[in-house]
Every structure is written in C-alpha cells, then in structure tokens.
Amino acid sequence: MEKRLQYIAHAASPLGEITLSSDGEALTGLWFDGQKYFGATLDEGAQARELPVFAQTRRWLEVYFAGREPAFIPPLRPAGSPFRQAVWQVMAQIPYGQTRTYGQLAQIIGRQRGLARFSAQAVGGAVGHNPISILLPCHRVVGADGSLTGYAGGVGRKAALLELEGTDMTGLFSPKKGSAL
C-alpha cells in the first residue's frame, strides 16, 4: 500500500485547541492538543496545509459546539487494525446525546463475530485509541457503573461533551472523585 502524505491544521474549540490531520482527502485524526495518544497516527513529516476537509471539519465543530447535532459529517479515514475499525464503526452508531457501555459495545462486536462473549477490556483499548475524537464519539462510551472512564482528552472534557449534547447525566460520575456530576 502506497503511503500518502499527511497534512495538519488546527481548530479552536471551547474545550481547547484541536489538531486535525488528513491524507489530503479525508480526516485521519482529530485530537485535543496534549491529550493522551496525541498524534499517534501522525507522521513527523506532516505538512501544514489548508484543505477542504479541514474547512468541513471546522464547520462541523462550529455546529457541534453551538449545541446542535451536525446534519453532515466530513469524510473520515481513521487508521487502525481491522478490530479497531470494527469497534469504531459500532461506536459511530451511538446516537447524539446517548451513551453506551464498553460491555454493550463488546456484546455487539461479539455478535458480529459469532461469539457468545467478547472482552469489554479489548473494546476499551480500541475506544481509547480512537484517532478521530468527537466525530467518532468515544466520549459517549462509559463504564458499566456509569463512570466516565477511558477518554484520552480527559474526564472533564468527556463530561463537557456529554452535557453539550444534552445527555442525561443521572448516574454518571467521575471515577477519581467518586461523585455524581
């Protein structure tokens, strides 16, 4: 497979600066600056350049951070193993303003693979390594007990994104504080 050039750009958000990456056609990464796994799929030689996909992504983010569900999505091409791709596809189906547990995602992946059981921990690893935050909504995945775990951008940002979407926060809590939000 021929390696494509990578391009980067930046976007502002109410929750901090965001770095975007693209292969020239689709969005390949979206990270809050400094988050865990920041730029994990980004080559050192990525070039700063304005592209149509970056303009589309910024528009999507403007609508999203205005508190509305965007009616469009820019083209996405996250890099990852077939397993991670499968988890991200399932995760992308979580409706705006709703949450699912790692266990619920594991049940879906298990059914897709013809298995009676599947590891929620394995699913959690794939969710945590999602290279396109917000658009592939890993912030909508919570622990079985309602804990806001596993968000590379930080639990505070995860809670803010869920609140922005009007998610029912009853029973959701920060595991570090052990208290309801």
Side-chain angles (χ1 to χ4, degrees), residues 5-179:
L5 286 176
Q6 288 185 318
Y7 304 98
I8 59 170
H10 300 278
S13 89
L15 300 178
E17 289 298 309
I18 292 173
T19 295
L20 309 171
S21 70
S22 172
D23 59 9
E25 297 172 3
L27 192 69
T28 58
L30 187 154
W31 304 273
F32 285 104
D33 288 1
Q35 79 172 48
K36 189 175 183 180
Y37 309 121
F38 176 85
T41 59
L42 195 57
D43 290 340
E44 280 186 33
Q47 302 172 10
R49 179 174 295 168
E50 281 307 314
L51 300 169
V53 70
F54 292 148
Q56 292 169 342
T57 302
R58 285 190 195 98
R59 179 67 190 128
W60 189 97
L61 290 167
E62 287 172 16
V63 172
Y64 180 82
F65 282 114
R68 299 185 314 272
E69 180 179 9
F72 66 96
I73 192 155
L76 307 178
R77 192 174 292 130
S81 69
F83 171 70
R84 287 183 179 178
Q85 295 285 343
V87 171
W88 299 334
Q89 274 189 325
V90 170
M91 189 176 64
Q93 302 306 310
I94 302 171
Y96 181 91
Q98 295 183 28
T99 60
R100 298 291 184 271
T101 66
Y102 295 96
Q104 289 171 318
L105 269 60
Q107 287 176 344
I108 294 168
I109 295 294
R111 279 196 305 270
Q112 288 176 348
R113 294 174 173 231
L115 302 171
R117 298 182 59 99
F118 197 82
S119 168
Q121 190 173 14
V123 167
V127 170
H129 285 84
N130 168 24
I132 304 179
S133 293
I134 309 173
L135 282 85
L136 290 177
C138 50
H139 61 280
R140 296 180 190 152
V141 185
V142 299
D145 62 357
S147 58
L148 299 182
T149 61
Y151 191 62
V155 172
R157 283 189 180 126
K158 183 172 190 163
L161 293 169
L162 292 171
E163 288 174 6
L164 178 73
E165 293 182 14
T167 305
D168 179 2
M169 302 294 278
T170 306
L172 299 181
F173 66 94
S174 169
K176 290 183 182 172
K177 296 176 186 169
S179 61

